[in-house]
Amino acid sequence: MSIETLTTTNGQLGSNTSHQFDQNQFDAAVMSTYARFPIALEKGLGCRVWDTQGREYLDFVAGIATCTLGHAHPAMIESVTQQIQKLHHVSNLYYIPEQGELANWLVSHSCADRVFFCNSGAEANEAAIKLARKYAHTVLEIEHPIILTAHASFHGRTLATITATAQPKYQKYFDPLVPGFHYVPYNDINAVEAAVSELDEGNYRVGAILLEPLQGEGGVRPGDIAYFQKLRQICDETGILLIFDEVQVGMGRTGKLWGYETLGVEPDIFTSAKGLGGGIPIGAMLAKKFCDVFQPGEHASTFGGNPFACGVALSVCQTLEREDILTNVVNRGEQLRQGLRLLAAKYPHIVIDVRGWGLINGMELSPDIPYTAADVAKAAMEQGLLLVPAGPKVVRFVPPLVVTAADINEGLARLEQALVNIINH
Ligand SMILES: *Cc1c(COP(=O)(O)O)cnc(C)c1O
């Protein structure tokens, strides 16, 4: 679709700003949970956003891997408008047709048989943890089930999900944490085998393993195929549930609809959120039929699966399919990695690795330079390119899945200028 068609649906853009932004007023009233870049974004179109000063940026953050169709996509404008006019929220006291349609789309496009809807990634993982615990108690007959998770993982910010997230920086000050988790190094099958046998004592036993197919926030680290296939085998032999956190990598970001497809391994349970609603808050926990042990009243969410979120998410799913966006993800991902590898070859003292799948990619900075990924993101922002760190030394590239070849080339050019500015600084 051309930018012109998009422009007609989104009205005025660019330097035509409407709104004075007062940072002091903002900071006085909003909790300081985020270290914000000093810009305020006001408008978007496709892969571009504009700040309140009218400055344009290429958006390779996409709300952190969330704005699947970019900004102001006609399909989203249409579904949002239609759904708000028809019915936006009721309650799960009643049947919600849009929820059923979205669940059926997800089930027919994945290995799962059943879906529970919520509003975020953390909530989807909470639901998976609860389902796994009930399954462990009732089916595996484990009195104290343990869930294995990986170092450098990220699973969300609720108490259970920061416990699952094996990174001390997210847990500090929030103890006591939730019992029943144990950490292993990622991509290390011996560590899993050792944990499964060592933790089998008395009433304690491993009931589930929760992992990202590719670690996003922890540094864009792809899962090892042989490792995941061996894990599947261990789980098949022991009855341990294999749970994948697809919150960041699912919904087409890797070039396949789900991250597990790249590994050639089906999970028993998986979670989705970020890209699912294209930026409308929605999360989902999906499971195979055999481990769907929830009964009425055992889990719930007031907003979960409401007509608005489900109607819009369904339009995102259908647009992905209709416009064959996964092919674009594969091609643009190749193009981006090729460009990043050229930069790595040209600036080997700065960039030491480029890795990723589809449109989730990381550029790792040398440990020998004093600059962090946040410094690079800041320099890139000054060149009109939005980027987000994934840990201290990895710069993450997660543009909308509709990013064009021209956008990628422009982004790479802006990035190179940012690197040159850092060197000359
Ligand atoms: C972002 C993220 C989450 C948390 O999602 P929220 O919607 O912020 O709760 C969980 N897991 C992974 C892999 C993520 O990237």
Side-chain angles (χ1 to χ4, degrees):
M1 168 186 339
S2 73
I3 284 291
E4 261 162 74
T5 23
L6 285 170
T7 311
T8 55
T9 60
N10 196 35
Q12 299 160 331
L13 279 162
S15 57
N16 188 358
T17 59
S18 55
H19 172 206
Q20 279 288 323
F21 178 70
D22 183 339
Q23 190 181 328
N24 291 329
Q25 189 192 45
F26 183 101
D27 289 336
V30 180
M31 282 196 188
S32 46
T33 51
Y34 303 97
R36 293 180 176 85
F37 291 106
I39 59 169
L41 297 174
E42 184 175 60
K43 293 177 185 179
L45 182 66
C47 293
R48 280 156 214 267
V49 290
W50 284 263
D51 70 13
T52 47
Q53 314 285 326
R55 282 204 58 195
E56 172 256 355
Y57 303 85
L58 260 176
D59 182 8
F60 281 20
V61 176
I64 313 192
T66 292
C67 301
T68 307
L69 304 179
H71 302 280
H73 192 285
M76 285 195 73
I77 293 173
E78 191 190 324
S79 59
V80 164
T81 309
Q82 274 188 3
Q83 202 58 55
I84 201 83
Q85 287 173 342
K86 199 170 150 200
L87 187 68
H88 69 291
H89 180 79
V90 279
S91 158
N92 289 294
L93 290 167
Y94 316 104
Y95 280 96
I96 297 170
E98 292 82 0
Q99 187 180 132
E101 274 185 71
L102 177 60
N104 274 287
W105 191 94
L106 291 169
V107 161
S108 64
H109 290 78
S110 77
C111 64
D113 304 303
R114 299 271 195 276
V115 189
F116 171 83
F117 290 106
C118 50
N119 315 286
S120 68
E123 277 177 87
N125 287 330
E126 284 272 347
I129 290 164
K130 283 179 69 177
L131 186 66
R133 281 189 171 183
K134 181 171 180 195
Y135 182 88
H137 288 306
T138 59
V139 181
L140 302 177
E141 297 181 341
I142 308 173
E143 197 172 326
H144 296 288
I146 295 163
I147 298 177
L148 296 185
T149 65
H151 293 149
S153 58
F154 186 80
H155 299 295
R157 301 296 200 128
T158 62
L159 272 173
T161 59
I162 60 167
T163 310
T165 296
Q167 297 196 55
K169 70 174 175 184
Y170 293 118
Q171 301 173 340
K172 195 178 171 196
Y173 302 127
F174 302 122
D175 54 301
L177 297 176
V178 174
F181 290 87
H182 181 87
Y183 310 135
V184 288
Y186 191 61
N187 281 340
D188 179 345
I189 200 67
N190 294 331
V192 171
E193 281 171 339
V196 167
S197 69
E198 280 161 25
L199 297 171
D200 186 355
E201 211 185 310
N203 299 323
Y204 290 81
R205 190 148 50 92
V206 174
I209 303 174
L210 166 63
L211 295 167
E212 295 155 87
L214 170 154
Q215 292 190 321
E217 200 276 343
V220 190
R221 286 171 217 287
D224 177 67
I225 291 177
Y227 166 76
F228 273 90
Q229 295 189 341
K230 184 74 191 163
L231 270 181
R232 181 67 271 175
Q233 199 185 325
I234 292 171
C235 289
D236 287 341
E237 285 163 11
T238 55
I240 293 171
L241 290 177
L242 187 56
I243 308 173
F244 287 171
D245 179 341
E246 294 255 2
V247 168
Q248 189 158 169
V249 298
M251 278 302 285
R253 177 135 310 266
T254 63
K256 312 246 189 218
L257 191 57
W258 306 110
Y260 69 75
E261 293 174 57
T262 295
L263 299 170
V265 166
E266 289 186 357
D268 303 310
I269 299 173
F270 69 96
T271 54
S272 175
K274 287 192 166 82
L276 179 57
I280 299 297
I282 183 169
M285 187 264 292
L286 304 93
K288 296 216 170 176
K289 198 171 175 175
F290 80 91
C291 53
D292 171 21
V293 291
F294 278 157
Q295 293 296 313
E298 288 178 342
H299 197 53
S301 164
T302 297
F303 289 126
N306 82 13
F308 182 77
C310 289
V312 178
L314 183 63
S315 78
V316 173
C317 293
Q318 289 168 340
T319 305
L320 270 190
E321 198 169 14
R322 189 181 56 242
E323 298 187 1
D324 190 23
I325 288 170
L326 294 194
T327 303
N328 190 58
V329 176
V330 171
N331 294 336
R332 298 291 73 78
E334 274 300 322
Q335 181 193 352
L336 176 60
R337 278 188 302 281
Q338 239 168 48
L340 292 175
R341 288 197 184 110
L342 283 178
L343 289 179
K346 206 162 160 187
Y347 306 100
H349 52 297
I350 303 184
V351 178
I352 58 165
D353 193 27
V354 170
R355 55 180 180 256
W357 294 341
L359 285 173
I360 176 160
N361 293 289
M363 179 181 87
E364 185 165 356
L365 305 175
S366 164
D368 305 327
I369 56 167
Y371 309 107
T372 62
D375 295 328
V376 171
K378 195 151 178 285
M381 199 181 78
E382 281 158 16
Q383 296 307 311
L385 172 65
L386 301 184
L387 296 173
V388 57
K393 282 288 189 175
V394 178
V395 184
R396 182 168 25 169
F397 301 79
V398 282
L401 305 189
V402 294
V403 69
T404 66
D407 293 332
I408 296 279
N409 284 335
E410 200 174 339
L412 286 164
R414 293 181 186 187
L415 174 65
E416 179 162 14
Q417 190 55 52
L419 294 179
V420 168
N421 289 352
I422 283 187
I423 298 166
N424 295 334
H425 185 68

